[in-house]
Every structure is written in C-alpha cells, then in structure tokens.
Amino acid sequence: MVTDVLVDDDIEERPTCGCYTSGLFIEGARWDAESNCLARSHPKVLLERLPVLLVTPTEEHRVKMQNIFQAPVYTTTNRRDKREQGLEFQVDLKTDVHESFWILQGVCLLLNTD
C-alpha cells in the first residue's frame, strides 16, 4: 500500500504489521496522492519518486485484485542486469483504469535510476 508519506524521515513509529519501504521510482506513470492511485505521467517527466510503501504480508487467496495493477520492480532502467535477470518482485498499485493500459504504457518501479 502506498502511504501519503513522501520522505522516510517523517515516519515516527513502526507499523504493527509489515514494514515501510522507500526509495522506489516509478517509470511511465506517476502516483496521484489526491486520488490515491496511478495516473498518467506529466509531459516530459520520465521518472518520479514513489511515496513510502507499507509492505504487509498477505495470503494470496485473501488479496482482492480489483482495480489493482501489479507493477514489476526492476533493479535498473535497463530492466535487466548482467545476468539477464531484472525482475525483483511486484507491487500492487491501485488504479482506476484497466491494468492493460499501464502494461501498454510500460509502467514499472525501479530501485536505481542509473
């Protein structure tokens, strides 16, 4: 779940379940804090910093997949490393359009901006 916290220094206490993750960048889209979902990127802006994520462990059969885009998380903008591997994990992001829109846009999250 994407929080409304932009900088991890603003977090004052640990979550009761899960952990906070920061430092991810989103490519091909942006996070709209007002509607709390993915939105089209601004013109001429390729990468934007994603707010702090709250990662909570959940059993797969309990996850509701409506209005969710499973964004792949890659290590670099090349989407591959020297071993031809790049996909690290996936993050579920809320969206108000069908997930195929974001797939065609090439939306992903990045750990490094190179």
Side-chain angles (χ1 to χ4, degrees), residues 72-90:
V73 179
Y74 296 106
T75 307
T76 64
T77 55
N78 292 336
R79 300 186 182 196
R80 300 226 185 288
D81 60 9
K82 294 178 182 177
R83 297 171 295 176
E84 293 300 317
Q85 299 173 347
L87 181 65
E88 299 296 330
F89 56 96
Q90 293 181 332

Side-chain angles (χ1 to χ4, degrees), residues 18-29:
C19 65
Y20 290 113
T21 303
S22 65
L24 293 172
F25 295 87
I26 188 166
E27 180 179 20

Side-chain angles (χ1 to χ4, degrees), residues 72-110:
V73 179
Y74 296 106
T75 307
T76 64
T77 55
N78 292 336
R79 300 186 182 196
R80 300 226 185 288
D81 60 9
K82 294 178 182 177
R83 297 171 295 176
E84 293 300 317
Q85 299 173 347
L87 181 65
E88 299 296 330
F89 56 96
Q90 293 181 332
V91 173
D92 295 339
L93 299 175
K94 186 178 173 188
T95 179
D96 57 358
V97 296
H98 194 269
E99 68 177 343
S100 63
F101 176 80
W102 303 115
I103 293 170
L104 292 172
Q105 293 288 334
V107 174
C108 70
L109 300 181
L110 303 169

Side-chain angles (χ1 to χ4, degrees), residues 1 3 15 17-21 24 52-58 89 91:
M1 175 178 77
T3 66
C17 181
C19 65
Y20 290 113
T21 303
L24 293 172
V52 176
L53 291 175
L54 173 60
V55 180
T56 55
T58 307
F89 56 96
V91 173

